[in-house]
Amino acid sequence: MADANTENPPNRVYVVPEKKIKSAMDMAKWEKSEAYYDLLGFISSMSVALQGTRASQNLEVSPVVEKLMNAIDRLEQLAVETPPIDQPARFGNAAFKTWFQKMRSESTQLIADALPETAKEAVKELQVYFEESFGNSTRIDYGTGHELAFVMFLMCLFKIGAIERKDEVAVGLKLFDKYIILVRKLQVTYRMEPAGSHGVWSLDDFQFVPFIWGSAQLAVNSPIEPAQFVEDKSIDKYRKELMFVGCIDYIRQVKTGHFAEHSNQLWSISAVPQWSKISTGLLKMYQKEVLSKFPVIQHVFFGSILTLTPVKPGTPLPCPRLGMIPRQSTSAVPPVPAPPKFGDGDSTM
């Protein structure tokens, strides 16, 4: 991973990102790239930061994070103004295409308004990831690849210094949560199809990262054991407080039948005794089921922030060490991590 001092050089030239993974043969290039390692490092760092947190806790929200939350609110308002149309097809309401066009027409300004002056030139690079985060307007579907685009959007904000490492918890509990709520509304409103779902054997039809970060949140001072997250009383009590339980609540709302039948993978996870093991296990599953799949990665964009530059041979993959709160205080953290440091984690090849 590149040194923090060189991540956001003053002479950086921002570009419009492009898709560069053209065939399955290119996947090896992706899996040895700085972008791949930075992505796993970012997910790991966020996991460590979110341990023991609660949605209702008081948080200082930076101006950039606040403005990005307002941007998500604006996109939700556009959905209110763009109701589904009457059509013969049950799934894939064509009104989503109209919403998507509206979103794209406003995205440049929404991002520009949120960024500090020092990062304004990054708009053309950031907006590509942002616009890819809400689904495909042709197929009217949404999947983990679109979620990945938003995670990359967040990571880019950290890498260029627009968001600082002290903002990690607010990004996870406030901004990312607001994004998840919006895409759920889009899925329901426009009857979006899941992109590339494996049905009952997938973790979830649409999302993955909230389960990683949500289980990490529970790795310290969890009010429930893993076996309890499928219980109605636990869901009702903690669905607004805990990201993982919120995901389970949403599944409960949109699916019928016994949980073990429609969400077998999650049901199996409830048998794992520790939340820390669940989170690290889900991260490995994410690497295997999402990040190593060409049908997903062929749609990933690369530019000046996220690059396919190979890492040095022997560079270990970041992996979070969960189950303890890092000793390092927020005030001691460098103000511009790009990408965030991952000194609190173990390394695994």
Side-chain angles (χ1 to χ4, degrees):
M1 209 171 311
D3 185 84
N5 294 327
T6 62
E7 280 297 317
N8 191 30
N11 61 344
R12 178 197 292 279
V13 177
Y14 293 105
V15 299
V16 177
E18 299 177 350
K19 297 177 181 179
K20 296 185 178 181
I21 303 300
K22 304 295 185 180
S23 71
M25 297 293 290
D26 293 330
M27 288 298 289
K29 187 190 304 182
W30 153 246
E31 291 174 357
K32 290 297 181 182
S33 71
E34 287 185 353
Y36 182 81
Y37 277 63
D38 286 352
L39 175 65
L40 288 175
F42 173 66
I43 294 174
S44 298
S45 183
M46 287 286 292
S47 295
V48 172
L50 288 170
Q51 292 182 104
T53 60
R54 299 291 182 268
S56 62
Q57 71 184 61
N58 291 325
L59 284 173
E60 181 180 342
V61 179
S62 71
V64 173
V65 174
E66 184 73 42
K67 290 174 182 177
L68 288 170
M69 291 171 63
N70 293 338
I72 299 295
D73 287 338
R74 173 57 185 160
L75 299 187
E76 182 176 345
Q77 180 58 34
L78 290 178
V80 173
E81 297 170 3
T82 315
I85 62 174
D86 293 330
Q87 62 179 42
R90 182 183 176 191
F91 292 100
N93 194 281
F96 177 72
K97 298 182 179 183
T98 304
W99 177 89
F100 196 87
Q101 291 170 350
K102 292 179 179 179
M103 177 272 294
R104 292 196 68 180
S105 69
E106 295 195 21
S107 65
T108 301
Q109 194 61 51
L110 288 172
I111 297 171
D113 289 345
L115 292 178
E117 287 298 325
T118 55
K120 294 289 188 186
E121 293 182 5
V123 171
K124 64 182 178 183
E125 195 152 339
L126 293 171
Q127 77 176 73
V128 173
Y129 298 102
F130 186 77
E131 292 174 358
E132 285 289 312
S133 301
F134 304 101
N136 183 281
S137 61
T138 302
R139 299 186 302 269
I140 313 182
D141 65 7
Y142 175 95
T144 50
H146 302 108
E147 176 190 80
L148 173 60
F150 191 75
V151 173
M152 287 182 158
F153 170 72
L154 296 177
M155 181 171 70
C156 286
L157 290 168
F158 278 100
K159 285 175 67 66
I160 67 173
I163 297 178
E164 301 177 4
R165 190 174 180 184
K166 63 184 177 63
D167 300 316
E168 282 180 319
V169 175
V171 167
L173 296 185
K174 302 296 184 183
L175 179 55
F176 184 71
D177 184 65
K178 189 174 280 287
Y179 161 77
I180 292 297
I181 291 172
L182 171 61
V183 294
R184 285 173 181 165
K185 289 181 178 178
L186 296 177
Q187 292 156 20
V188 172
T189 300
Y190 301 115
R191 301 303 301 271
M192 299 177 75
E193 295 269 26
S197 171
H198 297 291
V200 67
W201 300 109
S202 65
L203 185 67
D204 180 77
D205 284 340
F206 297 104
Q207 314 297 157
F208 203 120
V209 174
F211 292 95
I212 299 174
W213 287 344
S215 52
Q217 188 183 18
L218 293 164
V220 170
N221 298 328
S222 173
I224 59 172
E225 297 297 324
Q228 296 176 293
F229 77 73
V230 294
E231 299 175 358
D232 285 341
K233 62 180 181 180
S234 295
I235 299 173
D236 292 338
K237 186 174 182 179
Y238 296 111
R239 60 192 174 89
K240 294 183 179 180
E241 192 78 341
L242 302 169
M243 190 182 298
F244 192 99
V245 180
C247 292
I248 302 302
D249 179 54
Y250 181 67
I251 292 173
R252 184 178 65 165
Q253 294 177 41
V254 299
K255 293 191 175 184
T256 59
H258 195 278
F259 195 89
E261 295 175 355
H262 60 64
S263 301
N264 186 268
Q265 288 275 23
L266 285 168
W267 178 262
S268 300
I269 285 173
S270 68
V272 179
Q274 294 177 321
W275 283 109
S276 58
K277 292 185 179 298
I278 290 175
S279 187
T280 52
L282 287 175
L283 180 56
K284 292 176 181 177
M285 183 179 175
Y286 187 63
Q287 292 175 243
K288 179 180 178 182
E289 299 298 330
V290 177
L291 300 184
S292 68
K293 302 298 185 184
F294 172 69
V296 176
I297 304 306
Q298 66 177 328
H299 299 296
V300 170
F301 289 82
F302 301 91
S304 73
I305 308 173
L306 302 183
T307 76
L308 281 176
T309 303
V311 296
K312 295 179 181 178
T315 302
L317 280 172
C319 181
R321 180 189 298 156
L322 302 175
M324 64 187 79
I325 297 293
R327 288 192 299 263
Q328 191 176 25
S329 65
T330 303
S331 60
V333 178
V336 184
K341 297 288 187 178
F342 312 117
D344 300 310
D346 292 329
S347 295
T348 181
M349 289 298 291

